[in-house]
Amino acid sequence: MSDFLLELRSEEIPARMQGGARDELEKLFRREMEAAGVAVGEITVWSTPRRLALIARGLPEATEAVSEEAKGPPEGAPDAAIDGFCRKNGVTRDQLELRDVKGRNTWFAVIEKPGRATRDVLAETIPAIIRDFSWPKSMRWGAASLSTESLRWVRPLSGIVALLGDDVIECEAHGVKSGRETKGHRFHGIRKTDPKSRNFGLPIEFFKDKNPTVLNVNGMIEIGSSDDYARKLAHAHVIVDHKLREDEIRIGAMAAAKRAGLTLVEDEGLVIENAGLTEWPVPLLGRFDETFLDVPSEVIQLTARVNQKYFVCEDSAGKLANAFVCTANVEADDGGAAIVDGNRKVLAARLSDARFFWEQDRKTPLAQQARKLSRITFHEKLGTLEDKVDRVAKLADWLVFDAKAPNGDHKLARMAAELCKADLVTEMVGEFPELQGLMGGYYARAEGLPGEVADAIRDHYKPVGANDEVPTAPTTVAVSLADKLDNLLSFFKIDILPTGSKDPFALRRAALGYLRLVQANNLKLELDQVVHAWASKPIPALAEKLADFLLDRLAVQLRDEGVRHGYILASRAWQGRIDMRVDRVEARARALTAFLGTDDGTNLLAGYKRAANILKKEDWHGIEGEIARTGEEDPLSQVDDPDMKAVIDAKMTERHAGELSYTPEPAEKALMDALATAEPQAGKAIAAEDFGAAMAALASLRAPIDRFFDEVTVNAPEENKRANRLDQLARFRAAVHKVADFSRIEG
């Protein structure tokens, strides 16, 4: 068993591509090894800006010999067919065997494949990996790039290290031959610093080698095996393990801030990005002019992060300090003073631009900025951004004034909605689109507008993701709801819906935002009324399309909380149509989840399934058959419709008013009495939207229905008994359907 080392060295690999490249390298290596029959165990993959490295532990010396069989043409087939079969499988005619297959002699080829040396397999694998490697963006280079058949790689490939044990695996890709030589840090030579000062979490033995790394005559480092790879590169100022570089940046940046009496603003994404930009990271703290702190802190942080990859710091009061932490790729003799000064000058230029935008934008009131929205197309079929703002303002006003969801000041809601998109035309947001909404809030506050309006402008995009903060201030909630509803309704009206993984207008995100706003603020919004207010007329089809989409997203959202999809399906209907209140569907589904998690619920569901199967097999509708003359496909689809309630109740009373023509069995009578009690209780609870109480009423039917099935023969030979017992099962099914449609629940 031997360990295998592969290093693919190139010019700088973009930091954003390195994570995917590590995954791709392991995937391709495993693919090639498995195809060759080589068992692969532990694999380690590392990356730096200039190299990808893979170490596979415990590879066998050779593959196992295998015997394969291939079925060919039958005996008597044309010679051409048999010869073709032989060529395909690399055998001669005298190597074929005749075997009986379903009474007919058929030719078989038995192909013996001897084991292959793993080094030979690797020699073929490495060029295949390089050739098939997938990059988000790649390039061709050199004279060979004139041909479209030449190698494509993220940056020019310059070196391959391939070692099995301590032996070189000889191969070639795009004119680059494999070997055992690699390069260290681009600027540093062999490590001269004290290993005790910065060992990056590596064992101290890395730096106590009696034979430290030396450059050969070509200025290259010779790798003996996978065991000394990381150690020799560490001596050459390259920490090949990206996780160790991340730790050094994370810990070093925090320490640099602490030494200055500050606290680092943690940013894990920035840690990973800086680790992808450096092979020998050295965090350094610098200062910028305090006058820049007049600019909003978010602007400073975004400028430092996006443009310069710097961390920012806070003082003891939690306010942004005039300090930054940059990550150098070298250890400077002056402690990094010159590096810090250069970075400070670059950051100062960026912050000067940001301050200019801040000052210029404040000279124009938001209302005046909003007029420019008429020049920006929202969508070719939906008009301009100004048209969208008008719709949002109208809906926000209605939500507060008429729907009382939320209950606030409708004038403030309208004002905030009319100005919520104004910052999109400002200089600052033009430079930093990530600050939309946030800058509008700053400008509104600087202009002296009410705090509720400024907050609503700032937060109306929230919640953006599953972990984002959910607004609760009434004005903010109204504008946020109106904005998301307008996005959904506008695109649904022109038949643009998400398909598969494509959602160019982020409608799924808008739906999730709507759901979280409704949940956090306990809102009870009727979607058909929302559509009426938005369109100034009822559009039932659009309301149903919106409700259907939102309930699908609700099912996805609640899945992680243990609410099964079937429970949402069972709770979707209300008064004969899809429920227009997602909060009510959620409440029913949660109550159903709790109920079916009990023994009563589980057994009642089993009883329901049994009753439904019997009724289906007998094609029995009972009272439902008479109701079916309404023309509804589902006889009980209108059971909660107020217009149908009187008819249904009259039929039920008529059917059960008279005494039975026979004496019911005790279990039969018990079910009838239980239904007589549970039905009105469940109906009253449903009307009050107390779904827990409705489930409790159903729970009282569990024992009677179990006893009924145990002791009563449903298909009795007497017609009157059979009819009544099927009626009781139909009545039981109807009682359950009033609470939830158990037929939609699997299992």
Side-chain angles (χ1 to χ4, degrees):
M1 306 290 278
S2 301
D3 296 340
F4 171 64
L5 166 68
L6 173 65
E7 181 197 73
L8 303 176
R9 196 174 69 256
S10 69
E11 296 304 311
E12 271 67 11
I13 304 169
R16 69 182 183 278
M17 297 185 189
Q18 291 175 26
R22 293 192 297 269
D23 294 340
E24 180 77 355
L25 180 57
E26 180 174 354
K27 181 189 77 173
L28 292 177
F29 181 77
R30 288 189 182 277
R31 183 197 73 182
E32 294 296 320
M33 291 291 98
E34 289 172 7
V38 178
V40 178
E42 178 189 351
I43 290 181
T44 300
V45 184
W46 292 324
S47 66
T48 80
R50 302 176 66 207
R51 70 199 78 222
L52 291 172
L54 178 146
I55 296 177
R57 303 288 183 187
L59 294 185
E61 296 299 326
T63 65
E64 296 288 337
V66 294
S67 177
E68 296 180 354
E69 294 183 353
K71 180 183 175 184
E75 186 180 24
D79 289 344
I82 298 175
D83 290 340
F85 173 66
C86 290
R87 285 194 301 272
K88 177 182 177 182
N89 291 281
V91 296
T92 60
R93 279 201 176 205
D94 59 353
Q95 292 177 296
L96 298 181
E97 297 179 4
L98 272 177
R99 296 181 186 175
D100 181 78
V101 178
K102 296 181 179 180
R104 186 175 187 183
N105 285 336
T106 303
W107 291 109
F108 276 81
V110 179
I111 307 157
E112 300 290 343
K113 291 188 175 181
R116 296 181 63 200
T118 300
R119 61 180 300 106
D120 295 335
V121 173
L122 291 170
E124 297 174 0
T125 291
I126 295 167
I129 289 175
I130 294 172
R131 181 183 64 249
D132 294 347
F133 212 98
S134 176
W135 295 96
K137 288 186 178 180
S138 55
M139 62 179 289
R140 294 188 175 95
W141 64 94
S145 64
L146 294 175
S147 169
T148 57
E149 300 300 317
S150 64
L151 177 69
R152 295 183 66 93
W153 197 252
V154 62
R155 295 290 185 270
L157 189 67
S158 57
I160 301 172
V161 173
L163 299 174
L164 182 62
D166 54 6
D167 295 330
V168 173
I169 301 297
E170 295 183 359
C171 61
E172 182 177 342
H174 194 66
V176 180
K177 294 183 178 180
S178 62
R180 64 172 69 251
E181 295 181 343
T182 188
K183 289 185 177 180
H185 194 280
R186 185 180 290 278
F187 306 114
H188 281 306
I190 297 303
R191 182 183 179 93
K192 296 179 182 178
T193 54
D194 181 3
K196 295 180 181 179
S197 63
R198 300 174 71 243
N199 65 2
F200 294 87
L202 293 168
I204 195 67
E205 287 72 18
F206 269 38
F207 308 107
K208 290 183 177 179
D209 197 343
K210 295 180 181 179
N211 299 302
T213 302
V214 293
L215 304 181
N216 62 21
V217 293
N218 298 319
M220 304 286 282
I221 301 168
E222 290 192 3
I223 305 299
S225 69
S226 61
D227 292 335
D228 67 3
Y229 175 66
R231 174 170 52 80
K232 286 191 172 182
L233 281 177
H235 276 285
H237 283 83
V238 174
I239 302 303
V240 71
D241 187 342
H242 52 280
K243 290 294 183 183
L244 293 179
R245 297 199 307 278
E246 290 171 13
D247 289 342
E248 175 66 12
I249 293 168
R250 190 182 297 108
I251 296 169
M254 292 175 66
K258 187 176 182 179
R259 286 194 295 270
L262 304 172
T263 302
L264 188 78
V265 176
E266 296 182 20
D267 189 331
E268 192 61 22
L270 202 52
V271 168
I272 295 171
E273 187 168 14
N274 274 290
L277 294 170
T278 57
E279 289 191 322
W280 191 256
V282 182
L284 300 169
L285 183 136
R287 297 277 186 173
F288 57 84
D289 194 329
E290 285 191 16
T291 59
F292 288 121
L293 295 177
D294 292 338
V295 178
S297 59
E298 293 88 351
V299 174
I300 296 175
Q301 183 173 0
L302 194 62
T303 300
R305 185 190 197 284
V306 173
N307 296 126
Q308 303 305 127
K309 319 304 178 191
Y310 300 161
F311 298 90
V312 295
C313 303
E314 293 178 343
D315 59 23
S316 57
K319 295 183 178 179
L320 190 70
N322 64 322
F324 65 92
V325 177
C326 61
T327 306
N329 193 32
V330 295
E331 284 189 84
D333 293 335
D334 62 355
I339 295 173
V340 169
D341 188 56
N343 281 278
R344 179 189 59 76
K345 291 177 181 177
V346 175
L347 180 60
R350 295 287 189 179
L351 293 178
S352 295
D353 291 342
R355 181 165 58 187
F356 173 77
F357 296 148
W358 167 244
E359 292 172 350
Q360 287 298 112
D361 288 340
R362 283 185 298 161
K363 294 178 182 179
T364 305
L366 282 179
Q368 188 174 333
Q369 298 276 29
R371 297 191 196 115
K372 302 175 186 176
L373 297 175
S374 61
R375 306 179 214 160
I376 303 175
T377 299
F378 176 59
H379 187 276
E380 59 181 1
K381 295 182 179 180
L382 299 172
T384 65
L385 267 178
E386 184 180 49
D387 297 327
K388 174 181 172 56
V389 166
D390 289 343
R391 295 192 301 269
V392 171
K394 173 187 172 185
L395 188 54
D397 191 324
W398 177 84
L399 285 168
V400 175
F401 187 78
D402 293 295
K404 305 297 182 185
N407 193 1
D409 188 328
H410 72 101
K411 293 181 180 178
L412 291 179
R414 176 173 280 276
M415 178 187 296
E418 289 173 343
L419 301 176
C420 68
K421 305 296 182 185
D423 65 349
L424 294 178
V425 295
T426 62
E427 297 287 345
M428 186 71 81
V429 174
E431 180 72 13
F432 298 112
E434 302 94 330
L435 295 177
Q436 57 187 291
L438 180 68
M439 292 312 303
Y442 273 114
Y443 294 141
R445 207 172 297 278
E447 193 177 323
L449 296 178
E452 297 95 321
V453 172
D455 290 345
I457 295 172
R458 179 193 65 200
D459 296 333
H460 80 280
Y461 290 106
K462 293 182 178 180
V464 176
N467 299 317
D468 196 17
E469 177 188 2
V470 182
T472 55
T475 302
T476 306
V477 171
V479 179
S480 183
L481 277 173
D483 186 39
K484 292 168 178 57
L485 284 167
D486 178 71
N487 283 346
L488 292 165
L489 291 170
S490 294
F491 287 106
F492 284 7
K493 187 178 180 181
I494 59 175
D495 292 323
I496 293 181
L497 283 78
T499 57
S501 61
K502 295 183 179 179
D503 186 12
F505 300 104
L507 299 183
R508 292 190 184 96
R509 186 171 67 189
L512 178 60
Y514 173 85
L515 294 174
R516 295 189 66 204
L517 284 164
V518 166
Q519 292 160 346
N521 295 280
N522 194 28
L523 302 180
K524 304 181 186 303
L525 276 171
E526 297 278 1
L527 292 173
D528 49 354
Q529 296 177 13
V530 169
V531 172
H532 191 164
W534 177 80
S536 298
K537 61 180 180 180
I539 311 179
L542 182 58
E544 289 192 11
K545 186 185 295 185
L546 176 61
D548 190 60
F549 183 73
L550 288 172
L551 293 181
D552 283 345
R553 304 320 300 166
L554 179 67
V556 174
Q557 182 200 31
L558 297 183
R559 182 174 54 203
D560 294 337
E561 299 182 35
V563 180
R564 290 167 49 185
H565 185 258
Y567 299 167
I568 298 291
L569 293 177
S571 307
R572 285 170 68 107
W574 186 261
Q575 296 185 350
R577 63 170 185 165
I578 188 170
D579 199 337
M580 291 290 156
R581 274 179 44 197
V582 295
D583 67 291
R584 187 161 53 202
V585 174
E586 179 179 353
R588 293 172 75 189
R590 288 187 182 278
L592 195 57
T593 301
F595 176 57
L596 293 179
T598 66
D599 288 341
D600 282 346
T602 302
N603 290 326
L604 186 73
L605 176 60
Y608 168 86
K609 297 283 187 183
R610 187 172 178 182
N613 287 336
I614 291 172
L615 293 169
K616 181 179 180 181
K617 183 178 180 180
E618 297 297 324
D619 194 25
W620 186 268
H621 299 291
I623 188 64
E624 301 171 32
E626 297 178 47
I627 298 170
R629 288 181 299 189
T630 60
E632 290 293 324
E633 182 179 348
D634 179 359
L636 284 179
S637 65
Q638 297 186 4
V639 74
D640 292 315
D641 189 328
D643 295 333
M644 292 297 299
K645 191 174 188 305
V647 175
I648 295 170
D649 287 346
K651 292 291 184 182
M652 286 291 188
T653 301
E654 176 185 341
R655 174 63 61 91
H656 300 291
E659 294 185 0
L660 295 177
S661 58
Y662 68 96
T663 301
E665 296 181 22
E668 186 176 359
K669 183 65 166 60
L671 178 60
M672 294 169 63
D673 293 342
L675 284 168
T677 301
E679 281 180 313
Q681 288 179 347
K684 184 177 179 180
I686 289 293
E689 298 185 14
D690 185 350
F691 303 113
M695 300 297 169
L698 286 187
S700 68
L701 297 175
R702 176 261 175 108
I705 195 66
D706 286 349
R707 183 183 174 194
F708 180 86
F709 283 127
D710 287 342
E711 301 179 11
V712 177
T713 301
V714 177
N715 287 321
E718 299 86 354
E719 183 62 29
N720 58 341
K721 290 184 178 181
R722 175 176 176 273
N724 181 67
R725 291 167 184 175
L726 289 172
D727 268 355
Q728 295 312 310
L729 292 184
R731 188 178 176 191
F732 167 69
R733 181 178 63 180
V736 172
H737 276 183
K738 284 185 178 181
V739 179
D741 185 356
F742 277 33
S743 68
R744 308 299 296 273
I745 301 173
E746 296 181 358

